[in-house]
Structure formats: structure tokens, C-alpha cells
Amino acid sequence: MYVMRCSKDDVFKQGRLNRYANIEMSPSAGVLNYGQGIYEGTKANRTEDGRILLFRPEQNATRMRHGAERMLMPSPSIQQFVDAVKETVFANKRWIPPPGKGSLYVRPLLLGTGPILGLAPAPEYTFVVYASPVRNYFKEGTAPLNLYIDEEFVRASPGGAGGVKTITNYAPVLKAIARAKERGFSDVLYLDAVNRKYLEEVSSCNIFIVKGNHISTPAATGTILEGVTRKSILEIARDHGYQVEERAIPVDDLVGADEVFCTGTAVGVAPVGSITHQNRRIEFKTEGSLVCKELYSTLVGLQTGRIEDKKGWTVEIH
């Protein structure tokens, strides 16, 4: 794993690879007491001809910098972030699954590790990158997801930190997810905190709805995370000739949708078979020629080197 440290008023300078091990820190570390931490997620894939590709790592670096500013933390430069990811992947390359069998998931962390008792920014920060081989995120694999709209819990509110990948956004959704899974659902789809009528996102992925040639996704207005996969699918959909719109999507719009799908680094592009809201189950097309499969095929083709990358999205690791 890669480790780099810096103090509060300094900049990150030089990190190094260490063996994967526990991180030692004070019980009064800012991250442990006040949740001053953010994380990222990206994947490395092995191509049929043996190359190793990263997908748009500079987008994750930019998002981490944006998150660090919100959480009052110093952050690595874009180049430092990308180089750290490359080094970590190269050092762990024997763990990258064969083509089609999975990916090496890469997890960069930025943590306030310095001790601070009062509510204030930590005096020292640690940037860590580790990795693990992964297969499908949802245990259904490529089977359609069945989502549940929870009326009680919200994921984020205006003025909060829902638009950045802070660690504090994730533990609060665990209860909602557990409740949904007890009822047989895959995950939770959250509504906005103010009106409780507009779609926001799923616990760990963005949502899209398809109607005819139109593809819509909730606009990123500070409460949803601007996913790298989301951004890529928006561009791929435009390339494929679809009318793409980022807008406020009322929950009632689900009724007329042809298809619904989720996007994220972990899930890729996952079709949604049904969404249950107020005891009403709305079902969507999941068989035959699907828009989400067409878009996912292009995305995976780029990520795995099967399609020529004319966008400069992939980074080869030597």
C-alpha cells in the first residue's frame, strides 16, 4: 500500500510503498473522533493482451481535492494521486483478475490522523492507497436490482456534504440498507430531504431513467455525488445519439420509464428491475435490447481495452 503524510499547513511531498499493514494512530485522531476523512474508488483492469489499464484516475483525484476543500484538509496534487494509484496497482499486479473475471479495486483514503481533542481540523493528515481483487458488487451479479424508496431516511441535505465523498456519508445509510435487505430488496433509493419527492441516488451509486430516446439523471446540485461512471455514461449516451438531461426527477416519473439503471465504480452499470414506493411496485424492462446494456458494453470495452480509446480516458500502467 502507498502511504504519504503531511501536516495541516503544509503540502504533501513524498510518499512510499509499504507492505499492507494496520495504521497506528492516536485515539484522539481527527478521523476517529470527528469523521475528518474522505475516500475514493477506482479500478484497474487486465486486457486480453496482458496490459493493465486504469480508467480516468485524474477524475478521482479532482474529486478528492474538491472533497478535501469541503472537509478542510490538505490533499495530494492530481499528479501525486495518479502516481500513487499507479504505483499501488503495479506493486499488486499479480492480484489483478484475468480479463472478464473481475478487477483490482483501488481505494485511496485521506484521513485526519493527527490528535485533536477539540472540534478543529487535525494537525496531521495521511493519504493511503490500498487495493483488493473484486467481482460483482451486488450478490445478484448481473441480475436486475430491486430498489426500495425509504420514506424515513434521507442520504443528504442541501448545504451538507452529500456532494463529496466523505466517510461520514456512508455509515448513516447502513440502517436503511439493512432494513431494505430484510424485506428482500437490493438497496435503497433516496429522495431529496426538502420535498421528499425528487430522486437523489442509491446508497453507493447514481440512478438514471430511460424513456424512449431520452435518458435523465438527477442534477448534481450539492446533495448527490458526481460519480466518475455517471459522468462517463452521460458522455457515452450522447455519443450514441441519446437525448441526455440532468434535472430534478420527481418520483412520479418512474411510472412512465422504460428502463432504470444505476452507475458506479463498484456496480458498473446495473439494470433495475423494480422500485417499490409506498407499497407500490413499479417494474421496468430488463430483457431484450436494453439501453443500459448498450452503454455498459461501450464503457467496459473502453475500460478493458476492447474498444479503442479515442477519449484519452484510460491510463496504461507499465
Side-chain angles (χ1 to χ4, degrees), residues 10 14 18 58 64 76 79 100 103 125 156 204 221 263 310:
D10 206 354
Q14 188 63 45
N18 297 334
E58 77 294 338
M64 178 171 270
Q79 195 60 54
S103 315
Y125 296 84
S204 59
T221 53
T263 66
K310 294 177 179 171

Side-chain angles (χ1 to χ4, degrees), residues 17-307:
L17 284 167
N18 297 334
R19 289 193 72 81
Y20 184 87
N22 292 344
I23 300 169
E24 193 169 299
M25 66 180 96
S26 164
S28 61
V31 66
L32 297 180
N33 292 265
Y34 305 118
Q36 196 186 20
I38 50 182
Y39 78 90
E40 272 301 328
T42 187
K43 283 177 176 175
N45 288 292
R46 202 181 285 281
T47 67
E48 292 290 353
D49 58 4
R51 293 176 298 137
I52 299 168
L53 298 181
L54 289 171
F55 186 71
R56 309 188 78 179
E58 77 294 338
Q59 294 290 321
N60 300 90
T62 302
R63 189 168 65 178
M64 178 171 270
R65 287 185 68 79
H66 171 62
E69 182 188 31
R70 176 68 178 84
M71 303 298 282
L72 216 58
M73 307 164 79
S75 67
S77 69
I78 290 171
Q79 195 60 54
Q80 284 174 323
F81 180 105
V82 173
D83 287 346
V85 168
K86 282 180 171 176
E87 281 189 48
T88 307
V89 170
F90 190 76
N92 290 290
K93 67 178 187 286
R94 70 194 182 98
W95 294 103
I96 306 174
K101 297 291 186 190
S103 315
L104 186 73
Y105 184 84
V106 185
R107 170 60 60 87
L109 293 169
L110 182 61
L111 310 169
T113 44
I116 186 85
L117 190 57
L119 181 56
E124 185 186 80
Y125 296 84
T126 304
F127 174 65
V128 178
V129 185
Y130 68 95
S132 172
V134 293
R135 291 192 71 179
N136 286 320
Y137 181 75
F138 287 106
K139 78 168 188 288
E140 294 98 326
T142 52
L145 305 177
N146 295 298
L147 302 179
Y148 175 73
I149 294 179
D150 197 308
E151 298 268 280
E152 182 182 348
F153 297 115
V154 295
R155 183 191 160 273
S157 53
V164 298
K165 209 166 172 66
T166 163
I167 60 174
T168 52
N169 285 336
Y170 294 88
V173 302
L174 297 176
K175 186 172 184 180
I177 296 171
R179 227 164 52 162
K181 288 189 173 174
E182 278 169 17
R183 296 171 184 170
F185 298 103
S186 316
D187 209 330
V188 176
L189 171 57
Y190 299 91
L191 300 179
D192 74 290
V194 178
N195 303 292
R196 301 288 181 102
K197 72 175 230 184
Y198 295 104
L199 306 183
E200 292 247 299
E201 64 177 287
V202 181
S203 306
S204 59
C205 43
N206 297 115
I207 192 141
F208 286 74
I209 70 170
V210 182
K211 188 168 174 57
N213 194 48
H214 288 258
I215 299 177
S216 306
T217 193
T221 53
T223 52
I224 73 160
L225 193 70
E226 294 190 61
V228 178
T229 311
R230 172 187 181 275
K231 188 175 187 176
S232 305
I233 287 293
L234 285 170
E235 192 168 326
I236 289 168
R238 287 189 186 101
D239 293 346
H240 282 240
Y242 290 98
Q243 295 289 314
V244 176
E245 194 180 6
E246 296 176 68
R247 63 180 175 93
I249 303 176
V251 69
D252 294 345
D253 282 15
L254 291 172
V255 177
D258 300 327
E259 277 180 58
V260 174
F261 62 88
C262 294
T263 66
T265 296
V267 302
V269 178
V272 174
S274 75
I275 296 176
T276 300
H277 178 228
Q278 294 175 341
N279 297 319
R280 180 185 184 188
R281 182 181 166 104
I282 308 160
E283 300 199 334
F284 310 103
K285 182 181 168 188
T286 56
E287 296 290 323
S289 67
L290 296 174
V291 172
C292 74
K293 284 199 173 152
E294 175 193 342
L295 302 179
Y296 189 41
S297 176
T298 300
L299 178 74
V300 172
L302 289 165
Q303 290 173 336
T304 57
R306 285 200 311 271
I307 295 174

